[in-house]
């Protein structure tokens, strides 16, 4: 995402941090909206997708793009946003991103067509990429010791709370249908919150910059965006269009695009520039393991949240509110582990993530049993136990993942490592909606139906969770105090 941690490890940064005023409660809360709002916007949309499709006459592929286009823009520009903040000022970039995010939320809310909505989602994702990196960068630059650790934990809690509560809030807003807004309320809710955060940021956020700003790798960002589009566009549009020739050409072209991206990153690093994805950081054993865990978790989690809304509001005939309430136990489990996770991380290290994979596997296996035996006669109560267990497990994986991995990375490369991990997070959330969503929709259209499709997705996540346990053990054994 940014070199924020790297920028505060040298002597000059130490002097700068010592002289800086610590963030007060209001300033820290304002900053944390930069973590909460983008993640909320990613997940709150899922429960509204059926209503959007009906109102704007959008097909399943276009609805997948409503999720994926936001994630692609966000993932592509996270590192760019971080480095622009280092050079031009983190408060300035935070305000630019927050203002753009708020304006695009309003445009999404009034979008008359699916095309306008998709375009606004792309710009909204780009604005979030300008805003979010400044949160960790400002925390790292302004706080130290226990205050910094607590603020970092709150950053994780903000993201976890947004992911867990997003679809519940979306269901409540759609069901309430205030002023007959329907699905548009899930975007409009960002506007007053964004305006309050903008006003507060102007008044209370201090400005910081890196001692030495890195050059922005715009070519790398463009190549990453091209690679993601070549991969995700055919995966989302191929099934509803009957897999025309252009989808296979795009998928084939994504392979050389990855190769060109990798070559550019190697050459950029050898020439002394700052590449988007530094190859030297990828060579670190802890980073490779952490990336594998991040890809497995965020792809499956993002995909599941996408398909769950379709399943509950489809054959199960739940309302958006009932579909959202079905996720309440998952949110409760997620929030509990978000709050206590940092304390447990000190005790168990990467062993906490290992336990999370196994608990998550149990939760999704129970969900598959419910889908296979009771479908479509399910309701929030019958789904409560599987969702609660899955929520506990997911929280134990997601909350400590980045911190545990970075604790095993040399401090000078921690900022770059955090950027790579957070970029992979956003990329894989979008990838999950494309891949898992396409697989679900294909199975749901067969004799298996939506219940069989949901059970298949749940069992696939169960298998991946079990496979990730020994991988996590490798991270555990390579770290200290895990």
């Amino acid at each position: 995402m940014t070199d924020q941690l790297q920028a505060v490890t040298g002597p000059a940064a130490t002097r700068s941090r010592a002289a800086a005023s610590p963030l007060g409660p209001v300033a820290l809360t304002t900053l944390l909206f930069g973590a909460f709002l983008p993640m909320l916007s990613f997940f709150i949309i899922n429960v509204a997708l059926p209503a959007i499709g009906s109102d704007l006459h959008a097909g399943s592929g276009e609805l997948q793009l409503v999720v994926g286009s936001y994630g692609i823009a966000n993932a592509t520009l996270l590192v760019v946003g971080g480095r622009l903040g280092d050079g031009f000022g983190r408060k300035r970039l935070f305000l630019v991103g927050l203002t753009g995010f708020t304006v695009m939320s309003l445009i999404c809310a009034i979008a008359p067509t699916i095309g306008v909505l998709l375009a606004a989602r792309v710009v909204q994702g780009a604005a979030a990429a300008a805003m979010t990196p400044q949160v960790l960068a400002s925390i790292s630059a302004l706080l130290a010791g226990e205050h910094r650790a607590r603020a970092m934990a709150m950053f994780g809690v903000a993201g976890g709370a947004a992911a867990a509560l997003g679809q519940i809030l979306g269901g409540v807003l759609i069901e309430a249908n205030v002023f007959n807004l329907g699905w548009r309320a899930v975007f409009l809710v960002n506007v007053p919150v964004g305006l309050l955060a903008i006003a507060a940021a102007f008044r209370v956020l201090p400005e910081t910059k890196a001692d030495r700003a890195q050059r922005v790798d715009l070519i790398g960002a463009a190549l990453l965006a091209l690679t993601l589009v070549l991969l995700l566009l055919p995966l989302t549009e191929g099934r509803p269009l009957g897999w025309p020739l252009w989808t296979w050409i795009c998928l084939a072209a994504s392979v050389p695009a990855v190769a060109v991206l990798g070559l550019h990153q190697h050459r950029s690093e050898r020439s002394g520039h700052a590449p988007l994805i530094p190859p030297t950081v990828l060579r670190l054993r802890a980073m490779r393991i952490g990336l594998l865990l991040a890809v497995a978790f965020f792809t499956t989690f993002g995909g599941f949240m996408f398909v769950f809304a379709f399943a509950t509001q489809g054959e199960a005939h739940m309302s958006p509110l009932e579909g959202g309430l079905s996720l309440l136990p998952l949110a409760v489990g997620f929030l509990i582990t978000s709050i206590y996770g940092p304390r447990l991380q000190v005790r168990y290290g990467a062993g906490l993530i290992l336990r999370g994979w196994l608990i998550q596997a149990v939760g999704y296996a129970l969900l598959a049993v419910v889908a296979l035996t009771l479908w479509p006669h399910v309701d929030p109560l019958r789904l409560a136990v599987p969702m609660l267990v899955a929520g506990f497990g997911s929280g134990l994986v997601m909350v400590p993942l980045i911190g545990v991995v970075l604790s095993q990375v040399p401090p000078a490369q921690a900022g770059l490592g955090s950027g790579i991990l957070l970029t992979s997070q956003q990329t894989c959330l979008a990838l999950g909606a494309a891949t898992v969503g396409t697989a679900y929709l294909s199975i749901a259209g067969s004799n298996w139906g939506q219940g069989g499709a949901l059970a298949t997705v749940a069992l696939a996540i169960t298998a991946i969770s079990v496979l990730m346990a020994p991988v996590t053990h490798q991270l555990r054994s390579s770290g200290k105090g895990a």
Side-chain angles (χ1 to χ4, degrees):
M1 172 181 43
T2 179
D3 295 334
Q4 69 269 24
L5 298 180
Q6 189 179 26
V8 294
T9 53
T14 302
R15 292 192 300 270
S16 173
R17 185 166 54 192
S21 300
L23 288 169
V26 176
L28 179 58
T29 302
T30 301
L31 264 182
L32 290 176
F33 275 114
F36 182 84
L37 285 175
M39 191 67 80
L40 179 74
S41 187
F42 190 95
F43 285 102
I44 198 174
I45 190 65
N46 286 322
V47 74
L49 289 174
I52 292 173
S54 176
D55 189 29
L56 299 184
H57 310 290
S60 58
E62 291 168 314
L63 295 178
Q64 285 175 283
L65 285 177
V66 172
V67 178
S69 60
Y70 176 90
I72 291 173
N74 196 312
T76 301
L77 296 173
L78 269 171
V79 176
V80 174
R83 290 192 175 143
L84 288 174
D86 289 344
F88 292 100
R90 292 161 185 144
K91 175 180 178 178
R92 181 177 300 174
L93 260 292
F94 182 83
L95 283 167
V96 169
L98 181 56
T99 302
F101 184 89
T102 304
V103 171
M104 286 303 110
S105 295
L106 177 60
I107 293 177
C108 286
I110 63 176
T113 65
I114 189 65
V116 173
L117 179 60
L118 288 173
R121 285 287 281 174
V122 170
V123 183
Q124 188 185 37
M131 171 173 53
T132 305
Q134 317 317 324
V135 181
L136 283 176
S138 297
I139 289 172
S140 297
L142 295 167
L143 299 176
E146 182 182 347
H147 295 290
R148 178 177 163 187
R150 188 180 299 117
M152 290 289 190
M154 292 176 68
F155 176 87
V157 171
L165 295 175
Q167 293 189 202
I168 299 172
L169 177 59
V172 171
L173 289 172
I174 295 172
E175 189 76 13
N177 198 23
V178 178
F179 302 122
N180 203 32
L181 287 170
W183 61 266
R184 299 178 187 275
V186 304
F187 293 109
L188 204 59
V189 70
N190 293 329
V191 176
V193 178
L195 291 174
L196 286 174
I198 291 168
F202 265 115
R203 292 180 60 86
V204 301
L205 284 189
E207 182 64 279
T208 63
K209 293 183 180 181
D211 291 338
R212 182 176 62 88
Q214 298 282 357
R215 196 178 81 169
V216 177
D217 183 12
L218 293 178
I219 296 177
L223 288 172
L224 177 59
L226 175 63
T227 301
L228 292 176
V229 170
L230 288 173
L231 180 63
L232 297 184
L233 185 61
L235 287 176
T236 55
E237 296 298 306
R239 188 199 62 82
L241 294 178
W243 297 102
L245 179 61
W246 70 264
T247 60
W248 297 107
I249 293 174
C250 287
L251 288 172
S254 67
V255 177
V258 170
V260 172
L261 174 62
L263 181 62
H264 171 75
Q265 298 301 282
H266 278 283
R267 287 182 174 176
S268 180
E269 191 169 56
R270 282 201 303 267
S271 63
H273 298 140
L276 194 74
I277 307 171
T280 53
V281 178
L282 293 180
R283 294 190 193 106
L284 297 172
R285 183 170 182 266
M287 276 301 304
R288 294 197 304 271
I289 297 172
L291 277 173
L292 178 57
L293 297 176
V295 168
F297 178 78
F298 290 111
T299 301
T300 55
F301 186 73
F304 173 77
M305 298 296 271
F306 175 84
V307 305
F308 188 78
F310 278 94
T312 53
Q313 294 182 52
E315 290 177 354
H317 300 295
M318 292 188 193
S319 67
L321 177 60
E322 290 173 320
L325 289 177
S326 296
L327 289 169
L328 181 59
L330 182 143
V332 170
F334 209 105
L335 286 175
I336 291 174
T337 52
S338 294
I339 294 170
Y340 293 100
R343 189 181 308 168
L344 295 171
Q345 180 182 330
V346 173
R347 179 175 180 181
Y348 295 107
L352 186 64
I353 302 175
L354 190 152
R355 290 167 172 82
W357 284 117
L358 297 177
I359 295 172
Q360 176 177 278
V362 173
Y364 282 109
L366 291 173
L367 177 62
V369 171
V370 171
L372 289 173
T373 58
L374 299 178
W375 197 267
H377 306 293
V378 294
D379 52 40
L381 185 60
R382 289 174 175 171
L383 293 169
V385 173
M387 300 307 288
L388 179 64
V389 177
F392 272 117
S394 298
L396 291 176
V397 175
M398 178 179 169
V399 173
L401 178 59
I402 292 177
V404 167
V405 173
L406 294 182
S407 70
Q408 301 179 30
V409 171
Q413 295 171 307
L416 296 171
S418 67
I420 292 173
L421 287 171
L422 290 173
T423 297
S424 70
Q425 174 188 14
Q426 294 302 317
T427 301
C428 292
L429 287 173
L431 184 65
T435 56
V436 179
T438 296
Y440 166 84
L441 292 169
S442 298
I443 298 171
S446 68
N447 293 332
W448 286 78
Q450 292 183 347
L454 181 62
T456 301
V457 169
L459 288 174
I461 299 176
T462 300
I464 291 171
S465 301
V466 172
L467 290 173
M468 287 300 106
V471 176
T472 307
H473 185 72
Q474 294 299 313
L475 180 66
R476 182 185 188 186
S477 62
S478 69
K480 45 188 178 181

